[in-house]
Amino acid sequence: MYELNALLREYDRARAYTDDLWRDLTPDEVTWRPHEDSSAIGWHLGHQAHVAHFMIRNLTAAEPSPDPELDGLMDSANPEKFRGALPTVERLTAFRDTVAERVHARIGDIVAGRVGAPGQLTVVGSQLLLALINHEYQHDQWISEVRADALGHPLPPDPTADRLTRVDGYLVLNPYDGDDMAGRH
């Protein structure tokens, strides 16, 4: 199993790949929706951060949302047809960056033992980071599809890391021995 600092590096790698998928797009491309029953790239960007903050907040350290107005919009319980009124790319970027800083701060507190139950939170933190990394990659797949198929932009190369593979077409950081995923690659 990965240690927390290694997982933070993988979280940063996943976020960097997300940035490779959208940073060269225009604001109109980031907020454009192929149709009413799909989400814009910008929604996926905000949703990735929203989930990261929600999980960190609820599993490791209660704290307020960095942008409460975005919470309802970026929740996947919000039907796709209501995901159209997105904030600016600058606001989405600030939200993503703030959440990433908070993820690093909370996991850093766990690593340094500045929490009430450092052993227990180390276990929680490792599973939490693994889920956040794979959630980031899950939405990267959908961002990739809009980028390439609908907008006609080439895709950047996949990131590379030990145990990073594709499963059912999605990038996945698999913490287990490759034999555990036999036949699924």
Side-chain angles (χ1 to χ4, degrees):
M1 192 61 168
Y2 291 98
E3 57 103 23
L4 288 177
N5 286 321
L7 282 167
L8 278 174
R9 288 189 296 275
E10 293 302 328
Y11 173 68
D12 292 342
R13 183 188 324 271
R15 288 187 73 253
Y17 180 65
T18 303
D19 286 346
D20 287 346
L21 290 170
W22 77 271
R23 289 264 184 192
D24 65 335
L25 302 177
T26 68
D28 286 341
E29 289 173 317
V30 172
T31 58
W32 175 76
R33 296 171 67 190
H35 51 81
E36 183 182 270
D37 291 326
S38 67
S39 301
I41 288 171
W43 182 85
H44 291 283
L45 298 172
H47 174 73
Q48 288 165 318
H50 169 72
V51 168
H53 176 71
F54 182 82
M55 291 181 72
I56 283 288
R57 169 184 85 191
N58 286 296
L59 298 176
T60 66
E63 63 178 40
S65 173
D67 195 333
E69 291 177 12
L70 295 182
D71 288 345
L73 176 63
M74 298 305 170
D75 191 326
S76 60
N78 189 19
E80 288 176 324
K81 66 182 178 180
F82 299 120
R83 297 178 186 174
L86 294 175
T88 64
V89 170
E90 293 79 18
R91 185 172 174 192
L92 285 170
T93 301
F95 181 58
R96 286 179 59 81
D97 291 346
T98 299
V99 168
E101 290 167 8
R102 289 184 178 189
V103 168
H104 273 269
R106 296 299 156 243
I107 298 299
D109 287 344
I110 294 168
V111 169
R114 293 187 297 265
V115 294
Q120 184 265 349
L121 282 178
T122 296
V123 172
V124 169
S126 65
Q127 298 302 314
L128 168 67
L129 281 170
L130 187 61
L132 294 181
I133 292 161
N134 286 327
H135 182 256
E136 187 85 10
Y137 285 133
Q138 175 186 21
H139 286 272
D140 286 351
Q141 179 62 31
W142 299 330
I143 291 169
S144 295
E145 291 168 5
V146 173
R147 176 189 173 89
D149 299 342
L151 297 173
H153 292 287
L155 294 174
D158 285 351
T160 57
D162 290 342
R163 299 191 179 183
L164 184 61
T165 188
R166 284 201 176 264
V167 176
D168 297 330
Y170 293 82
L171 282 169
V172 174
L173 184 64
N174 178 7
Y176 307 104
D177 185 323
D179 292 339
D180 295 336
M181 295 292 288
R184 306 231 28 229
H185 299 283

